[in-house]
Amino acid sequence: MTAAEDYDHLRHVLDALPPATLRHLRVIVDTDPQTAPYAEEAGAEPPARRLSFAGVGDSGRSDLSERHRELVQDGIELDR
């Protein structure tokens, strides 16, 4: 495969991805040591700040998925 074929294939894949998956992929590209320098050269913005409740699943509480909208809203209000 040539670089042009790779680029064309990836462009089509990106066009087909839902927005949430695109954001996830962008975070990976922006933070991966092998790809981050290229993202910086291309003028990509740094990844968005993670919400403070990320990782709270280790707390042992079982109601986190039920309360995810409340937790996200709290995180959004803190940014204001």
Side-chain angles (χ1 to χ4, degrees):
M1 236 185 227
T2 67
E5 291 170 325
D6 288 341
Y7 178 82
D8 192 47
H9 171 74
L10 288 173
R11 191 171 52 84
H12 287 293
V13 170
L14 291 173
D15 288 342
L17 293 175
T21 305
L22 280 172
R23 285 189 293 277
H24 174 75
L25 186 57
R26 181 177 177 182
V27 169
I28 292 171
V29 169
D30 289 347
T31 59
D32 182 272
Q34 291 183 351
T35 57
Y38 300 102
E40 289 174 13
E41 287 177 20
E45 296 177 14
R49 183 182 71 82
R50 295 184 186 259
L51 295 175
S52 60
F53 71 90
V56 295
D58 296 335
S59 69
R61 295 184 60 177
S62 61
D63 66 340
L64 294 176
S65 63
E66 296 169 5
R67 296 181 49 227
H68 78 279
R69 289 185 184 183
E70 174 189 342
L71 293 169
V72 169
Q73 188 61 41
D74 288 347
I76 292 170
E77 289 176 3
L78 288 174
D79 286 342
R80 292 182 185 169

